[in-house]
Amino acid sequence: EPHKASIAERAPWVEFEDLDGVWGEPARSYMFLREATDRSLGYNHMCRFYASQIFGVAADMGLDLIFRVDDDIFFLTRAPYDPFRLVWESDAAYAYGVLNREEHEKTYTTLPGWLAAEYGDALLAQGVVDEMYFNNVFAARPSWFLGDRPRDFARRVDASGGIFRYRWGDAPLQTAAVRLFGGRVVRFPGVEYVHFSTDNLVVDGDLQCLGCDAGDAFLRRLAAMRGGLRRRRRRRQ
């Protein structure tokens, strides 16, 4: 509640939805077989929510598109376009800001094998964890994710218990669904932001680790990345 109050104070236009009846399900025996305990059970529920449940909730609210921005994201510039219009007019099922490698060991070592066994494409399965959509900033079309094949995928993921047992995250699961079933994907161009909980700087599709050289280095990195981007753009002209 204090966190909610602080958001409401700074952004009074924000509306909060009660997710009782969605969050915290299902209560299955595999929750007690958790092999990845680096995060709380609540984190597992969050991953399940963003991997599949959010799309049904959004549809029930009558939303054509959803846009997620984590509350520890700090945008460095304003995008020179309407991101909702970009997704809508491109007929995309999914939009993202940057690709990233899955850093969670249990997910990296268990999810590709399960995907390959279920869907028979080992190359795609490995690509899901090597280059996943970093979904701290993403947009999606709920109606696509509520199609027959994505919904069946969500049911198979639930039946596997992988979210609770191995802490499979929502980012690789969203990535897998979109790539398995051919959803149209676009990248948000020109997006620049810092994600504080992962200590990342994202500039127009490039991702760097701030903490590798200490967090206060991000301004130097940002200046260097912007300069590199400008030089590449000049060469293309």
Side-chain angles (χ1 to χ4, degrees):
E1 287 299 322
H3 185 55
K4 178 178 173 181
S6 68
I7 294 175
E9 181 180 357
R10 289 179 284 122
W13 57 87
V14 172
E15 296 181 8
F16 295 90
E17 294 291 331
D18 187 351
L19 296 179
D20 283 350
V22 176
W23 197 275
E25 293 293 332
R28 303 270 181 89
S29 59
Y30 51 65
M31 290 186 185
F32 304 102
L33 301 174
R34 297 172 71 221
E35 296 184 26
T37 56
D38 53 308
R39 294 294 186 100
S40 68
L41 189 58
Y43 186 89
N44 297 142
H45 287 303
M46 181 274 292
C47 291
R48 182 172 182 259
F49 177 75
Y50 279 115
S52 60
Q53 291 175 296
I54 188 173
F55 306 112
V57 171
D60 289 343
M61 295 171 62
L63 301 179
D64 295 315
L65 296 174
I66 59 172
F67 196 154
R68 170 183 172 179
V69 177
D70 283 9
D71 64 358
D72 60 345
I73 293 285
F74 181 77
F75 285 103
L76 301 170
T77 59
R78 182 186 294 273
Y81 55 86
D82 181 339
F84 288 98
R85 174 169 288 184
L86 173 70
V87 178
W88 187 259
E89 293 184 349
S90 64
D91 198 31
Y94 195 85
Y96 70 100
V98 71
L99 295 168
N100 191 26
R101 183 183 184 275
E102 174 59 74
E103 299 294 339
H104 184 251
E105 182 181 359
K106 280 289 185 182
T107 300
Y108 192 89
T109 57
T110 60
L111 180 57
W114 180 84
L115 285 169
E118 290 287 319
Y119 294 98
D121 191 332
L123 185 62
L124 182 149
Q126 188 60 42
V128 163
V129 293
D130 283 338
E131 286 191 314
M132 68 180 182
Y133 304 125
F134 201 18
N135 70 341
N136 45 37
V137 173
F138 82 88
R141 193 179 299 261
S143 60
W144 186 89
F145 282 89
L146 295 175
D148 290 342
R149 291 189 297 171
R151 289 181 71 181
D152 179 66
F153 173 74
R155 285 191 289 268
R156 293 191 194 196
V157 170
D158 268 352
S160 76
I163 291 176
F164 293 95
R165 187 165 191 171
Y166 303 119
R167 211 216 79 184
W168 292 351
D170 44 293
L173 292 173
Q174 288 181 354
T175 303
V178 170
R179 292 181 183 167
L180 281 168
F181 310 123
R184 179 170 171 75
V185 178
V186 296
R187 183 176 67 82
F188 290 123
V191 171
E192 300 183 4
Y193 66 86
V194 174
H195 187 216
F196 287 101
S197 61
T198 57
D199 216 15
N200 290 127
L201 170 66
V202 174
V203 177
D204 199 18
D206 290 336
L207 181 144
Q208 294 195 27
C209 172
L210 298 174
C212 300
D213 298 328
D216 62 356
F218 95 87
L219 286 174
R220 294 194 301 275
R221 285 179 171 271
L222 177 60
M225 290 173 73
R226 282 177 170 168
L229 289 169
R230 281 195 291 271
R231 286 192 293 273
R232 288 200 295 273
R233 286 168 182 157
R234 288 195 198 103
R235 286 197 293 268
R236 289 173 188 155
Q237 292 173 352

